């Protein structure tokens, strides 16, 4: 019942994608440490937030690197806390870094979010005019299995596109908790099996 009133949103992605900067931009203050060195965020940090009379809990997570690059015990702890934050959320924003490009690790994180059964919004951060074509091609090629997810292009640092991101989060939350009548569900399954 509480899920209808408060949306728990985990911001997940690789190190330095701008997760802490995004949350600071959304809440309008520098409450979280945002630094351009990977590994600044070590624990999942929850921040209460309100937008258009709706309550949110934003969860800043540690950046997820490839398994082979995680050596320190504290970083292993950070990975576990991030995965727990994803599982305890209603909606996950997969934050991608447009400058760094779309990497295999982004696809791995997306796969984990899908396996956890959470609603998903893809946020493409650090978005510049000259990068747009390349990033869109990479998204289509490397994350084609996320075609159904809403993709929002933002700049957390310049606070651009944030309301579009929150609207996409609201839509994903509504879709995830929508109750379908048996005839609607049957029609959807018949359409899906016909297409496949």
């Amino acid at each position: 019942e509480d899920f209808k009133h408060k949306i728990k949103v985990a911001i997940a992605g690789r190190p330095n994608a701008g997760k802490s900067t995004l949350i600071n931009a959304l809440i309008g203050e520098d409450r979280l440490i945002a630094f351009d060195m990977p590994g600044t965020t070590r624990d999942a940090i929850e921040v209460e937030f309100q937008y258009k009379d709706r309550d949110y809990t934003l969860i800043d997570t540690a950046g997820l690197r490839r398994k082979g690059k995680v050596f320190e015990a504290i970083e292993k702890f950070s990975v576990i806390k991030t995965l727990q934050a994803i599982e305890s959320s209603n909606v996950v924003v997969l934050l991608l870094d447009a400058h760094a490009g779309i990497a295999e690790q982004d696809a791995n994180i997306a796969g984990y979010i899908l396996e956890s059964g959470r609603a998903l919004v893809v946020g493409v951060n650090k978005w510049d005019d000259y990068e747009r074509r390349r990033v869109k091609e990479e998204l289509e090629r490397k994350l084609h299995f996320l075609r159904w997810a809403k993709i929002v292009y933002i700049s957390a640092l310049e606070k651009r596109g944030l309301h579009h991101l929150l609207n996409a989060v609201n839509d994903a939350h509504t879709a995830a908790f929508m109750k379908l009548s048996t005839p609607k569900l049957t029609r959807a399954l018949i359409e899906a099996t016909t297409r496949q």
Side-chain angles (χ1 to χ4, degrees), residues 12-137:
R14 287 187 293 151
N16 265 23
K19 297 178 292 295
S20 300
T21 303
L22 172 60
I23 292 178
N24 284 339
L26 288 170
I27 64 175
E29 58 184 271
D30 291 339
R31 199 178 308 174
L32 302 174
I33 297 169
F35 192 62
D36 62 0
M37 190 179 88
T40 307
T41 304
R42 294 290 196 171
D43 198 358
I45 301 163
E46 294 189 6
V47 178
E48 300 300 318
F49 168 68
Q50 196 172 50
Y51 174 74
K52 290 187 178 176
D53 297 327
R54 192 156 200 184
D55 294 321
Y56 298 81
T57 300
L58 303 172
I59 309 170
D60 187 20
T61 63
L64 293 171
R65 296 195 303 160
R66 286 198 331 258
K67 249 187 202 175
K69 294 201 171 198
V70 177
F71 303 110
E72 298 173 44
I74 193 161
E75 193 171 359
K76 288 178 183 174
F77 169 78
S78 297
V79 169
I80 291 166
K81 294 297 279 181
T82 295
L83 299 180
Q84 287 174 342
I86 289 170
E87 287 177 359
S88 73
S89 65
N90 310 122
V91 180
V92 180
V93 173
L94 172 60
L95 198 63
L96 306 174
D97 181 340
H99 285 280
I102 312 301
E104 186 182 329
Q105 183 60 3
D106 293 315
N108 292 338
I109 297 167
Y112 183 79
I113 295 166
L114 294 179
E115 283 174 28
S116 70
R118 298 298 165 257
L120 172 68
V121 173
V122 179
V124 182
N125 192 24
K126 305 178 187 177
W127 178 247
D128 295 311
D129 290 338
Y130 68 91
E131 299 275 346
R132 290 184 181 190
R133 180 185 229 159
R134 178 187 60 81
V135 172
K136 283 185 176 180
E137 286 171 1

Side-chain angles (χ1 to χ4, degrees), residues 140-151:
E140 184 62 34
R141 194 172 69 252
K142 296 178 181 176
L143 298 179
H144 57 88
F145 60 96
L146 296 181
R147 279 192 191 122
W148 54 270
K150 179 78 174 168
I151 299 172

